[in-house]
Amino acid sequence: KYVLMAAATLPCTLLVMCASDVLRVTFQPIKFIARNLVQTAGTIGISLWFVLHQHSGVVGLFYGRLMGDGLATLVGLVLIRHSIRPHFRLEVLQRMLRYGAPMVPGAIAFGVISSLDRYMLQRTRTLREVAIYAVAARFFSVVSMAVQAFQLAYGPFAYAQAQSSEAPRMYALVLSLYMAVACGAALSAAPFAPEILHVLVSPASYAAALPALVLPL
């Protein structure tokens, strides 16, 4: 039932992502933030209600995700209603496929790389070592969230400037600053990994400090 419930959330999740992309590329930040707040608050609130009040356990998380995404889908469709037009243009589809098709292998490769480390560790090391590695990798989730937020905000702006004569110079400057800030943040956080993990995790996971120190390198 957990697999079926997770699958049931996919249509809403895809519609939510579609609404978010439309709001991003049409430069509507207030509506974009509002839709994300509705999804976050709705998912967390409903999940907590099922888990704490109804004592439904793990299934309550799936209920929360399903209903939170459903609510966010309705809000998203309302916010992008003026951008939705029921017509089909073959030339637009062809242009989208030419642009998006080369990204599919890259997305698949990224997913494989993201999960391959734990897959190999599960078959060569103990479960405790896998858990320690997972904690070390999660230590940098805040940096990853910042990177993702930058990518979401910068993408539409970069596309809008693609035809500008200053675009190559701007892209080079942004890439240099992006790498400097991202790498600097990761390397700055790494030396404090032992102290931070002692506050955030249980003693059984303190050993994650060493891999957390090495991973940014």
Side-chain angles (χ1 to χ4, degrees):
K1 66 178 181 181
Y2 298 120
V3 175
L4 291 176
M5 291 190 64
T9 65
L10 290 178
C12 290
T13 301
L14 292 174
L15 287 172
V16 166
M17 293 172 61
C18 177
S20 294
D21 286 340
V22 170
L23 293 174
R24 283 197 307 114
V25 300
T26 54
F27 299 99
Q28 301 183 67
I30 302 302
K31 293 181 179 180
F32 179 84
I33 294 172
R35 194 218 58 77
N36 280 277
L37 288 176
V38 168
Q39 182 183 21
T40 302
T43 300
I44 293 176
I46 297 171
S47 298
L48 289 175
W49 186 81
F50 274 109
V51 173
L52 299 178
H53 188 268
Q54 297 295 316
H55 305 288
S56 56
V58 176
V59 73
L61 299 177
F62 288 99
Y63 284 140
R65 179 61 184 271
L66 179 60
M67 295 182 181
D69 281 0
L71 178 62
T73 297
L74 293 177
V75 173
L77 291 177
V78 171
L79 294 177
I80 66 171
R81 65 188 184 279
H82 298 300
S83 301
I84 299 176
R85 295 291 184 273
H87 64 272
F88 177 79
R89 293 177 60 185
L90 181 60
E91 63 275 15
V92 174
L93 176 61
Q94 292 174 339
R95 188 165 68 250
M96 293 172 66
L97 289 176
R98 285 197 301 270
Y99 176 80
M103 296 184 178
V104 175
I108 295 174
F110 180 79
V112 172
I113 293 173
S114 300
S115 57
L116 189 62
D117 51 359
R118 290 172 179 78
Y119 177 84
M120 296 301 297
L121 286 173
Q122 288 174 0
R123 282 151 180 78
T124 58
R125 314 302 297 182
T126 66
L127 186 60
R128 179 177 180 275
E129 290 174 307
V130 175
I132 290 174
Y133 176 83
V135 171
R138 184 62 62 182
F139 175 74
F140 290 99
S141 59
V142 176
V143 177
S144 300
M145 290 173 59
V147 169
Q148 185 178 19
F150 169 79
Q151 292 174 339
L152 289 174
Y154 177 65
F157 174 77
Y159 295 144
Q161 301 296 319
Q163 303 301 322
S164 171
S165 60
E166 293 294 320
R169 181 175 178 274
M170 182 194 71
Y171 292 159
L173 178 61
V174 171
L175 177 61
S176 300
L177 293 174
Y178 167 78
M179 294 301 298
V181 173
C183 294
L187 292 174
S188 299
F192 299 98
E195 290 77 10
I196 297 175
L197 290 176
H198 274 67
V199 175
L200 298 178
V201 301
S202 63
S205 299
Y206 286 168
L210 179 58
L213 180 63
V214 175
L215 280 175
L217 304 177

